[in-house]
Amino acid sequence: METMALKAKAAQIRMDLLKMIHGAKTGHTGGSLSNTDILTALYYKIMKIDPARPKWEERDRFIASKGHSVESLWCILADLGFFPKEELETFSRFGTRLIGHPNNKVPGIEMNTGALGHGLAISVGMALAAKRDGKGYRVFCLMGDGEQAEGSVWEAAMAGSHYKLDNLVGIIDRNRLQISGPTEDVMGLEPLEDKWASFGWNVVSIDGNDMEQLLRAFESVPAVSGKPTLVMANTVKGKGVSFAENVPHWHHHVPNDEQLALALAELSTLIERYKLEEGVSS
């Protein structure tokens, strides 16, 4: 997929997740909107995956340590054919597989996540297994910035560096807001890049809502031999919906009918613009 097509795809995924959350009357809206560009870059361009063979041994692995923002992931997996798109209508309903956190009963999900601070440790184990088994797959782990207050994250960071796991990519959705307010008020994280670098990681800081920057960062991995990479993806919580951007209330706010219509109109306009720009560039 070319860059403009990826931007349009991300806008479409945002529309899908908003409709899904609106229908279910529950969901983590703000964080799913902020991580959509990251997941779109990974799933449609970067990772080696095969929806027809979700357990393909050579597949790249993705761990959503930030498991509560699963809505964008569900929409992408459905769009790629890991499960029927119609199943999105069952999100958070009784008996569904599509619960509010990743569920490994669903094809394409490597592990159940949601208890923050666990994903990177599991990712370290997966990346170490690949090294010891002589496999070429990579492991991508998406974390939240509020999650950086968990001590287990830093234990895993030490292990990733110690074992020289250059097949491991940690990604922080650095939108600077968590459920109880700005991250720097809840538990100050800065200087966050310096902290990761001091733990022996190659740190790349980008605009996490800029598709070109995301692709450059992910395509360069492994950028430094013998070092895991940390992509500091600086994002906007609620990205793509003007009235939700950088508003803490939208962490898990559900759009009403009017808000949904406004958001879908904004995103539809974006898609048309990207399609027009794609036609001009081609």
Side-chain angles (χ1 to χ4, degrees):
M1 242 188 219
E2 296 304 318
T3 304
M4 284 301 167
L6 287 168
K7 291 180 180 181
K9 177 61 71 174
Q12 182 60 58
I13 294 300
R14 286 184 168 98
M15 293 177 72
D16 292 344
L17 75 86
L18 286 167
K19 288 186 281 189
M20 186 176 72
I21 289 171
H22 175 264
K25 296 181 173 55
T26 186
H28 285 84
T29 308
S32 289
L33 289 169
S34 72
N35 73 32
T36 296
D37 298 303
I38 297 168
L39 297 186
T40 300
L42 288 175
Y43 274 90
Y44 292 93
K45 186 73 173 182
I46 299 297
M47 293 198 306
K48 293 184 302 179
I49 55 172
D50 184 354
R53 294 181 295 162
K55 295 297 184 182
W56 176 38
E57 194 171 347
E58 298 299 326
R59 73 191 182 280
D60 287 332
R61 273 68 166 170
F62 174 76
I63 300 297
S65 189
K66 183 187 176 180
H68 58 281
S69 294
V70 72
E71 290 83 359
S72 47
L73 180 57
W74 287 146
C75 291
I76 286 171
L77 292 178
D79 185 64
L80 288 170
F82 281 91
F83 59 85
K85 199 164 185 178
E86 294 74 26
E87 195 170 346
L88 294 176
E89 297 175 10
T90 73
F91 173 63
S92 286
R93 307 296 176 92
F94 179 75
T96 185
R97 298 188 297 176
L98 305 185
I99 57 178
H101 293 83
N103 167 21
N104 65 5
K105 292 182 172 61
V106 180
I109 299 295
E110 302 290 344
M111 65 170 286
N112 298 344
T113 55
L116 295 174
H118 295 178
L120 188 62
I122 297 296
S123 300
V124 166
M126 288 179 167
L128 182 58
K131 290 284 189 183
R132 293 187 170 178
D133 291 343
K135 300 294 184 182
Y137 65 80
R138 297 166 298 172
V139 182
F140 297 86
C141 178
L142 178 64
M143 297 173 280
D145 49 5
E147 184 177 359
Q148 304 306 296
E150 299 282 354
S152 52
V153 169
W154 299 100
E155 294 178 53
M158 281 192 290
S161 174
H162 175 77
Y163 289 111
K164 305 183 188 306
L165 300 178
D166 52 13
N167 59 341
L168 174 62
V169 182
I171 309 157
I172 298 178
D173 184 4
R174 185 70 169 115
N175 60 38
R176 291 175 168 76
L177 287 173
Q178 57 193 100
I179 190 170
S180 47
T183 56
E184 298 311 295
D185 291 346
V186 178
M187 178 63 68
L189 301 174
E190 295 298 344
L192 191 53
E193 293 174 32
D194 292 345
K195 288 175 182 176
W196 277 92
S198 74
F199 273 68
W201 288 57
N202 171 53
V203 178
V204 180
S205 183
I206 62 169
D207 179 342
N209 295 129
D210 184 297
M211 192 60 67
E212 288 90 349
Q213 292 188 39
L214 285 164
L215 294 176
R216 281 198 298 271
F218 293 141
E219 286 170 347
S220 69
V221 175
V224 179
S225 180
K227 275 192 173 187
T229 293
L230 188 283
V231 176
M232 190 71 66
N234 295 286
T235 62
V236 174
K237 196 155 191 170
K239 180 67 177 179
V241 179
S242 61
F243 52 85
E245 291 185 355
N246 283 321
V247 179
H249 175 63
W250 279 89
H251 180 87
H252 50 31
H253 183 67
V254 176
N256 59 32
D257 292 351
E258 181 182 0
Q259 290 168 331
L260 178 65
L262 288 171
L264 295 181
E266 287 185 7
L267 290 163
S268 294
T269 300
L270 265 184
I271 291 173
E272 291 306 313
R273 193 186 90 196
Y274 293 143
K275 288 180 177 178
L276 181 62
E277 291 178 9
E278 183 182 21
V280 170
S281 64
S282 61

